[in-house]
Structures are given as C-alpha cells and as structure tokens.
Amino acid sequence: MSWLSRIAGGVLAGMLLSISFSFAGDNPAANYAVSVDPMVKVRMHDNLRKKLGSNDDLRSLCSGLKICMNQVFEGCFEDDMKPWPKVKYDDEFCKPYKELASRGYKADPKAPMVPEIYARLGRQYRVEYTYAGTLPLDENVIKYLFDNMPFTAQLINAYLDENYVLEYTHPNRRFFNGSNGRSLSGEFYWALQDSAGQKLGMRDLFFGYGHAKILKWALHGTAIAYLDMDPMPGKIIKYKLTAIVFPGNSVLNSIMQMKVFRSVVNTKIEQIVNDIKKASGMYFSGNKEPMLKSAALKSDENVQYVLDFEEVVNGAHWELGDFERLQKARKQKREQDMQAVPIMVKDLQVIKEKK
C-alpha cells in the first residue's frame, strides 16, 4: 500500500485547489478604541486600509466583527462598523465567525492574514462547497504527506507525467503555491494546523487566492477551507472539505450558485481523484518504471524522503513538524562531521611529513 498511500495524499491538495480555485467568548479588544491616542488610531486605520486595499473590505472587516462577535477591531472607526444595507446579519451569516473562533483562529490583529480572512467573511456574497470521502492511508501517512507537500506532488507527476506543483513560499512552510498543471492554480496560507490545540494535522484551515478556467469563465477569487480528517479502522482516513468562496459581485455569485457550475467543480475534483486511481493502478500492476525513471525522485534529497516515508508506511510514528525537526538534526550532524574533517587531514599531513 505504500505508493498508493503516497500518491493518494495528493487528493487532499487537489481538492483544496479544485474548490478554492473555482473561484465566541469575551473580547478584550471590544473597548480598545477608547484608550488609543487619536493620532495612533489614525495611523492604525490607514495601515489597515492599505493592507486590505479598499474601503469596502475595511468596512466588511469592521462591521462583520462588530455585529457577529461584538469586537472592535484595532484600527476601525465608527463609520467602518456600519452594517452593509443588503447584508442580513443572522445566525447563518455569523456562523463562520464562530466556527473560526472555536477552532482557535480568533480575530487577533497581530496574527498573520487575520484582516484579510475576516474581511472576506464580512462581504455580501458567499458560496459554500463541500466534498467528502475516504483515502486508503493511515494517520501517520497523511501527516507525512502534508509535512512534505512538494514531495507528494512529485510522486503524482512521476506516475502520470503530469505537472502538479506544491511548493512552499516561506521558510515557516505555512505559505505555499499550488497547481494541477492545467486549469487550476493559486497561493495559500495554512492558517490552522489543528483545532484549538487538538488533533494536530487533522483539523486544518486554509485561506487561498485562486485562479481557474471553468467552462467559458476565467475566474479569480478567494476562499477559506476547513479540512477535517479522522482515522478509521483498516488504515482509512475519512475527510470532509468545506470551502467558502467569496464572489466579487452579484453576477458571479449567481453563476457560482448554479447547479451546472457546482457540477463542473465536482467534475474537476473527480478528475484529480481519477488521476490518483490511475497512478495507483499502474503501481499495483507491477509498473515501477515511472518511479525509477523520475529524475526528480532520484535526487539525493528525494531519495532520503523516500526512505523516511517507507519507515512511516511500515508503522513509524509521524507528527506534523517532524520533517523540519529531522532536517535540522541532519544539518547539525553534517556540520559536526564537516568540522571533524580538517583535523583528520591535518593529522595525516603531519604523519606524512615525519616520514
């Protein structure tokens, strides 16, 4: 099952691409504005407006948090917190706010991407997609695959001669780019890797900017996605992906609500799932040639990843973050070995000179 497990892990990344690209308690910040110097608040307001890029997004951020969570976000003025006339701020509208807070992603001005994410939640238009299923791998395997996304994409490419891409864009490995090499591409932020400190690697929150070609439309937009996974008996992972997409206007909102559009989104997801089935079928038929011929997988770096992953497939424990810890330990050992080499060379030279 090892190569099926490795390749199948790409389904999750693919689902995230497919959907995103288709286009709580006390709040100590609630009274923050009272004690802030006016000039400081003006600078905060200007910086916030610059970060979001528009007055509309600033108002969406401030009004949504004030009405749904009774929170005055740092830098918001009174006018920014006025509700949008056409938005119905009911329980359904406020549900994602409470969902994010319960998962541990609260509206902390100091946390990365918080203004951008909560500004989207405050917009008028939303479309929600869900996709659920199972994958033939266990909890340790899925954690390894998410801990090394570029390696997972290269495995898929080796068997299908495709151009899947998953690459980190920041040293913290929370920002990454992705593409299926065809009609979907985007940039993502891995906002949460657990839920309020529980189930590391199995309760995830992503925020993404996506680009997609669907039917006659070329779409660009943003989405947040919850990915919840649970291990089942028999080395099976059950997953559910919920994506909330934010259309920019009423026309696009109507299009994305259409049954035919939803059907096309599901078709794109199924295409990726079928890629996985096809690749795994090639492997189990005894075809190892694609793996052996892949230049990417034969690199010194990937050979080590293959060896590490074999241990996980064969039962070794893995937690999200182990990849980085292991890399640091290996780097430290290499540096120690390099420091020892000059001493050995010097000793040999001394011996030679004495002779």
Side-chain angles (χ1 to χ4, degrees), residues 15-16 18-23 91-100 103 116-117 119-131 188 205-210 221-227 241-247 253 256-257 262:
M15 288 189 308
L16 181 61
S18 298
I19 293 182
S20 295
F21 302 147
S22 305
F23 186 160
D91 289 343
E92 184 65 23
F93 183 87
C94 292
K95 183 179 177 181
Y97 290 86
K98 295 177 172 58
E99 178 71 24
L100 262 62
R103 288 172 178 259
E116 291 86 347
I117 291 176
R120 266 69 184 183
L121 290 183
R123 289 180 176 180
Q124 180 178 356
Y125 302 113
R126 297 179 187 165
V127 182
E128 185 174 304
Y129 298 90
T130 59
Y131 196 85
F188 299 96
L205 170 66
F206 297 93
F207 172 61
Y209 296 86
T222 57
I224 62 171
Y226 317 120
L227 177 60
L241 181 70
T242 302
I244 304 175
V245 186
F246 306 100
N253 182 65
M256 298 183 74
Q257 298 282 7
R262 291 179 178 273

XYZ file of all heavy atoms in Angstrom, residues 15-16 18-23 91-100 103 116-117 119-131 188 205-210 221-227 241-247 253 256-257 262:
497
model
N -8.083 18.625 -3.977
C -9.421 19.105 -3.623
C -9.360 20.546 -3.182
O -10.228 21.349 -3.522
C -9.999 18.262 -2.491
C -10.394 16.875 -2.924
S -11.284 16.061 -1.616
C -10.179 16.283 -0.251
N -8.320 20.874 -2.418
C -8.168 22.260 -1.986
C -8.012 23.175 -3.194
O -8.638 24.227 -3.277
C -6.943 22.384 -1.080
C -6.663 23.775 -0.530
C -7.821 24.256 0.316
C -5.382 23.772 0.273
N -9.065 22.505 -6.269
C -10.281 22.483 -7.070
C -11.345 23.414 -6.543
O -11.953 24.166 -7.295
C -10.844 21.054 -7.105
O -9.933 20.176 -7.695
N -11.580 23.389 -5.239
C -12.660 24.191 -4.698
C -12.249 25.640 -4.537
O -12.966 26.552 -4.936
C -13.129 23.607 -3.354
C -13.791 22.247 -3.607
C -14.130 24.536 -2.700
C -14.330 21.591 -2.386
N -11.072 25.875 -4.013
C -10.663 27.256 -3.784
C -10.501 28.015 -5.084
O -10.799 29.198 -5.159
C -9.352 27.298 -3.009
O -9.533 26.761 -1.725
N -10.048 27.304 -6.142
C -9.800 27.989 -7.393
C -11.087 28.268 -8.131
O -11.118 29.057 -9.033
C -8.886 27.160 -8.293
C -7.580 26.864 -7.651
C -6.933 25.688 -7.902
C -7.006 27.751 -6.782
C -5.720 25.409 -7.314
C -5.795 27.473 -6.197
C -5.155 26.303 -6.467
N -12.166 27.509 -7.849
C -13.400 27.773 -8.534
C -13.854 29.169 -8.234
O -14.580 29.743 -8.982
C -14.467 26.820 -8.086
O -14.097 25.501 -8.235
N -13.376 29.495 -7.980
C -13.299 30.932 -7.704
C -12.779 30.981 -6.304
O -11.908 31.008 -6.105
C -14.342 31.866 -7.726
C -13.159 32.152 -7.561
C -12.370 33.179 -7.659
C -12.533 30.934 -7.376
C -11.155 33.098 -7.536
C -11.327 30.926 -7.258
C -10.709 32.024 -7.357
N -27.871 34.329 12.132
C -27.021 33.253 12.632
C -26.244 32.570 11.505
O -25.087 32.176 11.687
C -27.869 32.216 13.377
C -28.388 32.739 14.701
O -27.848 33.747 15.194
O -29.348 32.143 15.241
N -26.881 32.434 10.354
C -26.222 31.782 9.226
C -25.037 32.610 8.747
O -23.964 32.066 8.445
C -27.221 31.587 8.082
C -26.664 30.835 6.888
C -26.301 29.397 7.209
O -26.845 28.831 8.181
O -25.446 28.841 6.491
N -25.213 33.924 8.666
C -24.123 34.794 8.223
C -22.980 34.775 9.233
O -21.804 34.786 8.859
C -24.636 36.229 8.044
C -23.595 37.177 7.527
C -23.379 37.317 6.163
C -22.815 37.930 8.395
C -22.404 38.184 5.672
C -21.839 38.800 7.921
C -21.642 38.930 6.553
N -23.306 34.760 10.513
C -22.276 34.836 11.555
C -21.654 33.482 11.887
O -20.658 33.422 12.631
C -22.873 35.443 12.829
S -23.326 37.193 12.668
N -22.190 32.417 11.327
C -21.699 31.074 11.647
C -20.204 30.901 11.393
O -19.491 30.346 12.247
C -22.498 30.041 10.851
C -22.119 28.600 11.145
C -22.980 27.645 10.317
C -22.559 26.196 10.539
N -23.395 25.269 9.716
N -19.649 31.346 10.242
C -18.199 31.166 10.028
C -17.333 31.907 11.040
O -16.235 31.445 11.366
C -17.985 31.723 8.613
C -19.319 31.642 7.950
C -20.303 31.898 9.044
N -17.797 33.050 11.525
C -17.047 33.779 12.552
C -16.878 32.911 13.796
O -15.785 32.797 14.355
C -17.778 35.065 12.936
C -17.786 36.139 11.885
C -18.754 36.168 10.893
C -16.823 37.152 11.885
C -18.776 37.162 9.926
C -16.835 38.155 10.923
C -17.817 38.153 9.947
O -17.824 39.140 8.993
N -17.980 32.326 14.226
C -17.948 31.488 15.432
C -17.183 30.193 15.183
O -16.525 29.663 16.081
C -19.379 31.218 15.892
C -20.103 32.485 16.349
C -21.546 32.207 16.743
C -22.187 33.430 17.379
N -22.183 34.630 16.520
N -17.262 29.700 13.945
C -16.528 28.482 13.594
C -15.020 28.714 13.691
O -14.288 27.913 14.282
C -16.896 28.044 12.178
C -16.162 26.811 11.680
C -16.609 25.531 12.365
O -17.752 25.491 12.878
O -15.817 24.570 12.404
N -14.551 29.819 13.130
C -13.123 30.128 13.186
C -12.664 30.346 14.622
O -11.587 29.871 15.020
C -12.807 31.374 12.353
C -12.266 31.121 10.944
C -13.281 30.373 10.088
C -11.867 32.424 10.272
N -12.325 27.090 16.475
C -11.160 26.331 16.031
C -9.855 26.945 16.532
O -8.788 26.349 16.375
C -11.140 26.248 14.503
C -12.204 25.328 13.924
C -12.267 25.416 12.411
N -13.250 24.496 11.872
C -12.985 23.318 11.319
N -11.727 22.916 11.233
N -13.938 22.546 10.854
N -7.255 39.990 6.320
C -7.675 39.528 5.000
C -8.780 38.484 5.088
O -9.753 38.526 4.327
C -6.475 38.941 4.244
C -5.430 39.963 3.821
C -4.392 40.246 4.901
O -4.608 39.837 6.055
O -3.378 40.877 4.584
N -8.656 37.551 6.027
C -9.648 36.484 6.139
C -10.976 37.018 6.662
O -12.048 36.745 6.103
C -9.115 35.356 7.040
C -7.955 34.632 6.334
C -10.222 34.369 7.400
C -7.289 33.562 7.159
N -12.067 40.046 6.613
C -12.678 40.971 5.657
C -13.516 40.218 4.644
O -14.591 40.680 4.233
C -11.603 41.792 4.948
N -13.062 39.033 4.227
C -13.858 38.224 3.294
C -15.144 37.756 3.931
O -16.203 37.753 3.299
C -13.044 37.020 2.819
C -12.298 37.230 1.512
C -11.178 38.195 1.665
N -10.504 38.489 0.403
C -9.437 39.277 0.320
N -8.922 39.826 1.415
N -8.884 39.543 -0.842
N -15.074 37.360 5.193
C -16.289 36.876 5.869
C -17.357 37.947 5.936
O -18.552 37.642 5.971
C -15.946 36.400 7.277
C -15.121 35.118 7.412
C -14.942 34.779 8.882
C -15.770 33.967 6.676
N -16.951 39.212 5.962
C -17.917 40.297 6.088
C -18.538 40.745 4.785
O -19.380 41.650 4.776
N -18.152 40.130 3.675
C -18.700 40.526 2.383
C -20.133 40.010 2.195
O -20.578 39.086 2.878
C -17.816 39.996 1.250
C -16.472 40.696 1.140
C -15.662 40.103 0.001
N -14.401 40.805 -0.209
C -13.514 40.471 -1.146
N -13.757 39.455 -1.946
N -12.398 41.168 -1.274
N -20.793 40.587 1.216
C -22.199 40.243 0.982
C -22.370 38.855 0.378
O -23.305 38.132 0.734
C -22.835 41.283 0.047
C -24.303 41.011 -0.271
C -24.909 42.089 -1.171
O -24.253 43.076 -1.489
N -26.148 41.892 -1.566
N -21.484 38.463 -0.519
C -21.715 37.239 -1.289
C -20.814 36.105 -0.829
O -19.615 36.290 -0.613
C -21.473 37.512 -2.776
C -22.345 38.601 -3.337
C -21.794 39.816 -3.757
C -23.726 38.433 -3.427
C -22.597 40.823 -4.255
C -24.542 39.444 -3.929
C -23.967 40.631 -4.341
O -24.763 41.630 -4.833
N -21.413 34.919 -0.717
C -20.687 33.715 -0.352
C -21.289 32.530 -1.090
O -22.491 32.483 -1.331
C -20.805 33.402 1.140
C -20.232 34.394 2.093
C -20.493 33.884 3.491
N -20.139 34.830 4.524
C -20.549 34.710 5.776
N -21.319 33.687 6.127
N -20.188 35.611 6.670
N -20.446 31.559 -1.384
C -20.913 30.280 -1.905
C -20.148 29.191 -1.162
O -18.921 29.274 -1.021
C -20.669 30.144 -3.415
C -21.222 28.816 -3.927
C -21.317 31.304 -4.173
N -20.857 28.192 -0.681
C -20.221 27.113 0.081
C -20.245 25.813 -0.704
O -21.256 25.436 -1.290
C -20.929 26.920 1.431
C -20.260 25.894 2.323
C -20.877 25.825 3.708
O -20.934 26.874 4.390
O -21.316 24.720 4.099
N -19.094 25.139 -0.727
C -18.964 23.833 -1.358
C -18.474 22.831 -0.310
O -17.687 23.177 0.573
C -17.951 23.864 -2.503
C -18.298 24.795 -3.642
C -17.874 26.120 -3.622
C -19.017 24.350 -4.739
C -18.166 26.977 -4.669
C -19.319 25.200 -5.793
C -18.896 26.511 -5.756
O -19.194 27.363 -6.793
N -18.919 21.593 -0.443
C -18.414 20.538 0.440
C -18.047 19.319 -0.400
O -18.660 19.055 -1.440
C -19.448 20.126 1.502
O -20.641 19.654 0.853
C -19.782 21.293 2.408
N -17.040 18.606 0.063
C -16.622 17.376 -0.607
C -16.107 16.438 0.470
O -15.312 16.828 1.325
C -15.525 17.660 -1.632
C -15.332 16.538 -2.612
C -16.116 16.442 -3.759
C -14.369 15.560 -2.396
C -15.950 15.408 -4.662
C -14.194 14.524 -3.297
C -14.986 14.451 -4.430
O -14.819 13.419 -5.320
N -1.684 29.956 -1.204
C -2.413 29.601 0.002
C -1.656 29.947 1.281
O -0.423 30.001 1.292
C -2.713 28.097 0.013
C -3.566 27.640 -1.121
C -2.980 27.116 -2.261
C -4.938 27.751 -1.061
C -3.755 26.698 -3.318
C -5.717 27.332 -2.114
C -5.128 26.806 -3.246
N -7.172 24.660 8.521
C -7.846 25.818 7.936
C -6.903 26.452 6.927
O -5.760 26.768 7.244
C -8.216 26.837 9.016
C -8.709 28.210 8.506
C -10.047 28.084 7.781
C -8.829 29.202 9.665
N -7.387 26.622 5.686
C -6.605 27.233 4.628
C -7.303 28.495 4.128
O -8.529 28.584 4.130
C -6.443 26.277 3.440
C -5.699 25.013 3.761
C -6.381 23.871 4.140
C -4.313 24.964 3.676
C -5.711 22.686 4.425
C -3.628 23.797 3.961
C -4.318 22.655 4.337
N -6.495 29.455 3.693
C -7.007 30.652 3.030
C -6.265 30.783 1.719
O -5.037 30.673 1.683
C -6.769 31.886 3.902
C -7.099 33.199 3.228
C -8.389 33.469 2.796
C -6.120 34.163 3.031
C -8.697 34.680 2.181
C -6.417 35.377 2.420
C -7.720 35.630 1.990
N -6.996 30.990 0.611
C -6.324 30.982 -0.673
C -6.827 32.003 -1.668
O -7.991 32.416 -1.629
N -5.900 32.430 -2.522
C -6.218 33.212 -3.713
C -6.112 32.255 -4.891
O -5.057 31.670 -5.106
C -5.213 34.358 -3.909
C -5.229 35.401 -2.819
C -4.480 35.241 -1.662
C -5.985 36.567 -2.969
C -4.478 36.211 -0.663
C -5.984 37.542 -1.969
C -5.230 37.356 -0.830
O -5.228 38.305 0.163
N -7.194 32.119 -5.660
C -7.193 31.119 -6.706
C -7.476 31.663 -8.091
O -8.035 32.748 -8.259
N -10.397 34.588 -7.482
C -11.101 34.888 -6.245
C -10.414 34.313 -5.031
O -9.300 33.794 -5.105
N -11.090 34.428 -3.897
C -10.534 33.963 -2.628
C -11.487 32.987 -1.959
O -12.692 32.971 -2.245
C -10.283 35.147 -1.670
O -11.511 35.864 -1.482
C -9.230 36.079 -2.230
N -10.944 32.184 -1.075
C -11.763 31.221 -0.347
C -11.065 30.838 0.946
O -9.841 30.937 1.069
C -12.013 29.973 -1.190
N -11.852 30.408 1.919
C -11.308 29.723 3.093
C -11.812 28.292 3.036
O -12.880 28.021 2.464
C -11.719 30.391 4.421
C -13.244 30.364 4.614
C -11.186 31.809 4.499
C -13.678 30.817 5.994
N -11.039 27.382 3.570
C -11.426 25.970 3.514
C -11.063 25.277 4.812
O -9.946 25.418 5.311
C -10.742 25.277 2.338
N -12.034 24.546 5.374
C -11.777 23.678 6.530
C -11.560 22.273 5.990
O -12.363 21.761 5.211
C -12.968 23.615 7.490
C -13.661 24.916 7.787
C -15.018 25.079 7.487
C -12.997 25.979 8.388
C -15.681 26.258 7.777
C -13.656 27.160 8.673
C -15.002 27.292 8.365
O -15.653 28.462 8.642
N -10.503 21.632 6.424
C -10.264 20.239 6.072
C -10.199 19.434 7.358
O -9.278 19.590 8.151
C -8.962 20.091 5.283
C -8.562 18.662 4.924
C -9.632 17.992 4.066
C -7.214 18.648 4.216
N -14.047 18.287 3.290
C -13.540 19.604 2.942
C -14.717 20.544 2.743
O -15.615 20.276 1.952
C -12.722 19.531 1.657
C -12.096 20.836 1.173
C -10.974 21.271 2.109
C -11.564 20.697 -0.245
N -14.728 21.632 3.490
C -15.758 22.667 3.349
C -15.071 23.954 2.928
O -14.186 24.444 3.623
C -16.511 22.891 4.674
O -17.105 21.667 5.097
C -17.591 23.954 4.500
N -15.460 24.479 1.778
C -14.860 25.710 1.268
C -15.918 26.789 1.147
O -17.023 26.540 0.655
C -14.208 25.473 -0.087
N -15.584 27.975 1.619
C -16.449 29.142 1.461
C -15.750 30.083 0.489
O -14.666 30.586 0.770
C -16.704 29.840 2.809
C -17.291 28.857 3.820
C -17.656 31.022 2.612
C -17.449 29.432 5.214
N -16.386 30.285 -0.658
C -15.825 31.114 -1.721
C -16.542 32.458 -1.711
O -17.740 32.536 -1.424
C -15.990 30.417 -3.086
C -15.295 31.198 -4.188
C -15.429 29.001 -3.014
N -15.810 33.515 -2.036
C -16.359 34.867 -1.936
C -16.399 35.545 -3.306
O -15.441 36.208 -3.716
C -15.526 35.693 -0.952
C -15.396 35.042 0.390
C -14.232 34.349 0.728
C -16.431 35.083 1.299
C -14.117 33.720 1.955
C -16.322 34.457 2.532
C -15.172 33.775 2.861
N -17.518 35.387 -4.046
C -17.658 36.056 -5.351
C -17.612 37.578 -5.188
O -18.096 38.125 -4.199
C -19.034 35.598 -5.840
C -19.345 34.374 -5.037
C -18.684 34.563 -3.707
N -21.802 35.671 -8.214
C -22.451 34.921 -7.148
C -23.547 34.024 -7.716
O -23.683 32.856 -7.335
C -23.039 35.890 -6.118
C -23.681 35.177 -4.955
O -23.023 34.486 -4.178
N -25.000 35.325 -4.828
N -21.989 31.031 -9.613
C -21.388 30.015 -8.751
C -22.416 29.257 -7.932
O -22.118 28.194 -7.385
C -20.341 30.668 -7.836
C -19.192 31.293 -8.605
S -17.893 31.992 -7.563
C -17.100 30.494 -6.995
N -23.643 29.780 -7.868
C -24.722 29.069 -7.187
C -25.421 28.078 -8.106
O -26.169 27.208 -7.643
C -25.758 30.071 -6.657
C -25.240 31.055 -5.626
C -25.112 30.458 -4.237
O -25.295 29.261 -4.047
N -24.808 31.289 -3.261
N -21.716 24.040 -10.009
C -21.338 23.122 -8.930
C -20.951 21.762 -9.495
O -20.028 21.111 -9.011
C -22.484 22.984 -7.929
C -22.739 24.246 -7.107
C -23.903 24.048 -6.144
N -24.125 25.211 -5.324
C -23.513 25.449 -4.156
N -22.632 24.561 -3.703
N -23.760 26.530 -3.454
